[in-house]
Amino acid sequence: MTLKKKLAVSTLAVSMAAASVAGFPFSSKGLAEHFGVSTASAAAVSQADVKAKVEKIYAQLTEADRVLLLNYKNQANAVDLAAFREIFKPVLEKLTFLEEADVITAHAAFKSVSSVVYDVYDKDYTAIKNIRYDVKNVDLLKKIAAEAGVKNLTTDDFIEFLFGADGVEAQLRALLSSKTSSELLDIVANPASQDNLINDAITTVLNHKTGTGALTVSQVVYNLHISPADVKESLKNLSVAVPATKPAVKALATAYIKAYGFSGGGTTNPPGTGTSGGNGTVTTPVTNPTATPGLYDVSKLVTIVGDKATLKLVDADVLKAFDALVAANAGKTGLTLTLNLGTVNAATVEVPLSKAIIEAAKAKGIANIAITFNGLTVTIPVGQFSEAITLTTSTVADATVTSLSSNKLTSSVYDFQLNVGGVVTSTFKQPIIIKLPLKNTEGVDRELLSVAKVVYKELQYQGGVVDGDYITEPRDSFSSYAVLENKVSFKDVASVQAWAGRQISVVAAKGAIEGVGNGNFAPKNNVTRAEFAKMLIRALNLENNSAKQSFGDVSSTAWYAPYVAVAAEKGIITGRSAAQFDPNATITRAEMATMIARAVKSQKPEAATNVSSLSKFSDAGKIAASLKDGVAFAASNNLVIGNAGKFNPNNTATRAEAAVIIYRTINFK
């Protein structure tokens, strides 16, 4: 049993499954011709069936989706042999022998299959033919078949594995048909749900290795002792090594769901399609606001004049969309209706929401209205408004930001404006969440990516949570925003570099902690209560200018006043008394752990505390009774670790220690 044989099966199965979640498009020349499959040896799945399926799926893709597929092709083709080995490490670790020439063949096949995703979309079928007729690929498949004890293994078997009556595509349809509308909506919006769906389909098909309906590829994988877990782990590695994988798969998976997932396999009105800007084409756009509860395709309602696009909603239809969302989520709160404008080819996009829409949303329990287009999403908590509002978003010149900083720009530059009751409003009682699409991220340190706000021709770094090719940040004020790789360094951190250097850099990049001037960080200086309040609120994106505090020793004009107000309002930090906060007092390690615990619990109430976690500290008895629960929570979740078996609860916390615990907190899942 040679390594090359096992590797090639796993590589081709993983690559084709990842690259072909939804399928390939084919011209009228026919499937067999493009794959080089003769009619005498065609797989059980018919040419007409596959052609109909893939054409239906690819009809849902937009120009923006095409770019995602191209990004995947380019990144996958940049994977060198060493990276390829690492991606398929779960398979390689189980194998004992590999001929270098065969690994090179498998590596080339991986890149060829990855290219198919875009090339076929672009009506170029050369790669498919090359894969089919490449002598090395054919010989490798023959050897695999012999080693696995099957009669033969051909390209047809992979087509059957993906598209046959018992293949991955059929299993996806079976899984989707069992989903409710709300579950389907979650799959569209949630990458983790998409991953789970695909994993379930692949696992089911691979586990069906004997008996009626068993597929040759599944039999081969089983006979070569490659488990579904190995395949799924390789897919996971692929998504890490090739960041464009998830956006490309999401585009294909979403297109698949649009084509098949919302009507039990019959005719569909897919969300997110329709007018593609000024010169776009219409692909059966959804005009029924109740078709997909929670996701209302309004692309047909966008008009473009010059370089400005305007959404023209019909109030009655939006109210129907509210009703459908509520009906599909009975008893649930915090509901969000997403208005999908699709791809809009205009620099400025204006979205008016009438007073009737705002009032109806509040009356029906709709917490948020999200507006999404061109990969950008703005989620507005509507409960704070009682008048009509208009969101205006403009994509402005990169120089707006690049002229202010040498840090690498990794997004477009967006200018946001909100008009409330005819008046431009720059601050909000409840933060508005912006989700910005990333670009030009090759070679950047993703932990250092931060949303930056333009303020008086300076950049203020606000942080943000990176998720795939997006970064999300709640904002309590509007301005111009962009994403940059914020490289921050200090010249006095050598003494703590080993255990706090990276954490200081990341937390500083997010704007949650700052230096003390002259390029210094002062890592061993003590932290005051006011300083830690700012660090924590900034790090966890909890800023809210509407928060109020009533401590007599906190001036409303003090730099820390807004952070103390939010921390006190959320119960993260309590005063020394009802009237005294004591902002300049230093903070102990136990107090810091307790504040962290309260902050995390406010965002993740389901997070658990293991009181026995304190037993690992020999000095746990020194922790004040009022702080034990907080320290126990922080210790249970590895937010605090201690040193040499001690926690040192009453020691004054240093700036370096604060940076480390803040870093762990922002990475807490």
Side-chain angles (χ1 to χ4, degrees):
M1 184 185 302
T2 62
L3 180 59
K4 63 183 180 182
K5 299 170 184 177
K6 295 180 180 179
L7 176 65
V9 164
S10 179
T11 298
L12 292 174
V14 171
S15 300
M16 296 185 78
S20 311
V21 171
F24 302 129
F26 300 94
S27 74
S28 57
K29 293 181 180 179
L31 176 65
E33 178 182 347
H34 296 315
F35 266 101
V37 180
S38 67
T39 55
S41 62
V45 58
S46 76
Q47 170 180 314
D49 286 344
V50 176
K51 182 174 182 291
K53 288 174 183 176
V54 296
E55 287 185 345
K56 185 172 184 177
I57 293 161
Y58 265 69
Q60 314 305 324
L61 296 174
T62 66
E63 177 64 19
D65 294 331
R66 184 192 69 80
V67 174
L68 296 177
L69 300 185
L70 178 59
N71 290 343
Y72 171 75
K73 171 188 173 179
N74 292 339
Q75 289 186 21
N77 276 272
V79 171
D80 60 22
L81 190 60
F84 173 77
R85 291 178 186 273
E86 189 64 25
I87 290 170
F88 295 100
K89 188 175 181 180
V91 174
L92 294 174
E93 284 183 337
K94 292 186 174 182
L95 308 177
T96 58
F97 175 77
L98 177 66
E99 296 176 20
E100 184 67 15
D102 295 317
V103 178
I104 293 173
T105 297
H107 177 222
F110 162 77
K111 295 202 288 186
S112 295
V113 170
S114 297
S115 295
V116 166
V117 178
Y118 175 77
D119 293 344
V120 178
Y121 176 89
D122 210 31
K123 306 304 180 184
D124 180 0
Y125 304 101
T126 305
I128 294 178
K129 294 180 179 179
N130 290 342
I131 293 169
R132 170 69 180 178
Y133 292 119
D134 188 283
V135 175
K136 294 179 180 178
N137 289 344
V138 173
D139 288 345
L140 194 52
L141 290 176
K142 289 180 179 179
K143 292 178 182 178
I144 292 167
E147 187 66 35
V150 300
K151 185 176 181 180
N152 199 6
L153 181 65
T154 69
T155 308
D156 303 343
D157 294 310
F158 286 100
I159 299 173
E160 185 73 13
F161 177 80
L162 292 169
F163 299 115
D166 297 293
V168 173
E169 186 270 342
Q171 187 59 37
L172 277 173
R173 292 195 69 180
L175 290 171
L176 286 169
S177 67
S178 66
K179 304 295 183 183
T180 65
S181 294
S182 59
E183 288 172 331
L184 289 170
L185 180 62
D186 177 64
I187 291 170
V188 171
N190 189 346
S193 297
Q194 296 159 17
D195 291 344
N196 291 337
L197 181 72
I198 296 167
N199 286 343
D200 288 346
I202 292 173
T203 299
T204 300
V205 176
L206 287 177
N207 281 337
H208 189 184
K209 54 225 179 232
T210 59
T212 304
L215 302 177
T216 301
V217 171
S218 300
Q219 293 171 339
V220 169
V221 170
Y222 174 71
N223 291 348
L224 296 179
H225 307 296
I226 300 169
S227 70
D230 296 328
V231 176
K232 290 189 287 186
E233 186 65 22
S234 296
L235 283 171
K236 180 179 178 182
N237 292 344
L238 179 65
S239 70
V240 173
V242 182
T245 300
K246 280 197 173 182
V249 171
K250 180 178 179 180
L252 290 170
T254 303
Y256 183 90
I257 294 170
K258 290 175 184 177
Y260 289 108
F262 293 102
S263 62
T267 58
T268 62
N269 291 316
T273 60
T275 303
S276 180
N279 299 314
T281 59
V282 176
T283 309
T284 319
V286 171
T287 54
N288 181 354
T290 65
T292 307
L295 184 63
Y296 181 15
D297 178 3
V298 294
S299 56
K300 192 177 181 181
L301 306 179
V302 177
T303 60
I304 299 177
V305 178
D307 211 19
K308 180 179 179 180
T310 303
L311 176 64
K312 297 182 178 180
L313 292 168
V314 177
D315 289 0
D317 286 342
V318 177
L319 269 57
K320 291 177 183 177
F322 288 157
D323 290 337
L325 174 58
V326 172
N329 295 273
K332 295 183 180 180
T333 59
L335 300 177
T336 299
L337 175 67
T338 298
L339 304 177
N340 183 7
L341 282 66
T343 301
V344 181
N345 295 322
T348 297
V349 179
E350 185 177 85
V351 179
L353 300 175
S354 70
K355 183 175 181 178
I357 290 175
I358 298 298
E359 293 301 326
K362 294 192 292 184
K364 296 174 184 293
I366 306 297
N368 309 292
I369 295 178
I371 295 98
T372 184
F373 59 90
N374 300 349
L376 170 72
T377 303
V378 180
T379 302
I380 303 173
V382 294
Q384 61 189 307
F385 303 114
S386 56
E387 299 290 340
I389 64 175
T390 299
L391 172 70
T392 303
T393 305
S394 298
T395 305
V396 299
D398 289 355
T400 306
V401 167
T402 56
S403 64
L404 305 178
S405 173
S406 61
N407 284 335
K408 184 175 181 179
L409 179 66
T410 57
S411 77
S412 296
V413 183
Y414 301 97
D415 184 78
F416 297 100
Q417 180 177 295
L418 192 71
N419 184 299
V420 181
V423 179
V424 174
T425 302
S426 57
T427 59
F428 326 112
K429 293 180 180 179
Q430 292 177 272
I432 292 176
I433 299 173
I434 58 174
K435 182 178 180 181
L436 309 181
L438 302 174
K439 66 179 183 180
N440 303 324
T441 58
E442 294 80 5
V444 305
D445 187 335
R446 294 173 71 85
E447 275 200 307
L448 302 183
L449 295 181
S450 180
V451 174
K453 177 182 180 181
V454 180
V455 181
Y456 299 119
K457 295 189 176 181
E458 291 186 355
L459 296 182
Q460 292 183 358
Y461 289 94
Q462 309 294 323
V465 177
V466 176
D467 181 11
D469 284 341
Y470 300 89
I471 188 168
T472 302
E473 170 71 6
R475 298 305 311 142
D476 62 354
S477 62
F478 268 172
S479 179
S480 294
Y481 288 93
V483 185
L484 295 93
E485 181 188 25
N486 187 20
K487 294 183 177 180
V488 182
S489 61
F490 300 102
K491 60 187 181 183
D492 63 341
V493 296
S495 62
V496 299
Q497 183 65 39
W499 60 273
R502 173 65 177 179
Q503 292 86 338
I504 291 171
S505 295
V506 172
V507 176
K510 298 293 187 181
I513 197 167
E514 299 171 347
V516 296
N518 196 30
N520 292 320
F521 181 72
K524 296 183 180 179
N525 281 12
N526 294 333
V527 178
T528 67
R529 285 164 56 81
E531 287 173 333
F532 194 68
K534 178 180 178 179
M535 294 177 193
L536 194 52
I537 299 306
R538 289 289 296 272
L540 296 182
N541 300 310
L542 296 175
E543 292 171 280
N544 184 353
N545 285 325
S546 67
K548 305 296 181 184
Q549 56 81 28
S550 57
F551 297 115
D553 58 350
V554 177
S555 169
S556 61
T557 59
W559 61 265
Y560 49 80
Y563 307 107
V564 170
V566 174
E569 184 176 85
K570 291 185 173 293
I572 295 171
I573 299 179
T574 57
R576 299 299 194 191
S577 67
Q580 184 185 30
F581 180 73
D582 203 5
N584 297 316
T586 56
I587 187 173
T588 67
R589 286 172 50 81
E591 289 174 329
M592 183 169 64
T594 297
M595 293 176 190
I596 286 288
R598 292 170 181 161
V600 171
K601 286 181 179 179
S602 73
Q603 293 190 314
K604 302 180 184 296
E606 72 281 3
T609 301
N610 182 359
V611 293
S612 66
S613 62
L614 293 181
S615 62
K616 62 185 175 183
F617 302 130
S618 61
D619 57 352
K622 296 181 180 180
I623 302 173
S626 62
L627 303 177
K628 280 192 173 182
D629 183 66
V631 176
F633 176 89
S636 298
N637 293 285
N638 294 318
L639 299 176
V640 295
I641 296 175
N643 183 28
K646 292 185 176 182
F647 181 62
N648 301 313
N650 300 314
N651 285 9
T652 303
T654 66
R655 285 170 55 82
E657 289 173 330
V660 170
I661 196 172
I662 291 290
Y663 176 84
R664 292 175 185 154
T665 302
I666 61 178
N667 285 286
F668 179 75
K669 304 299 184 184

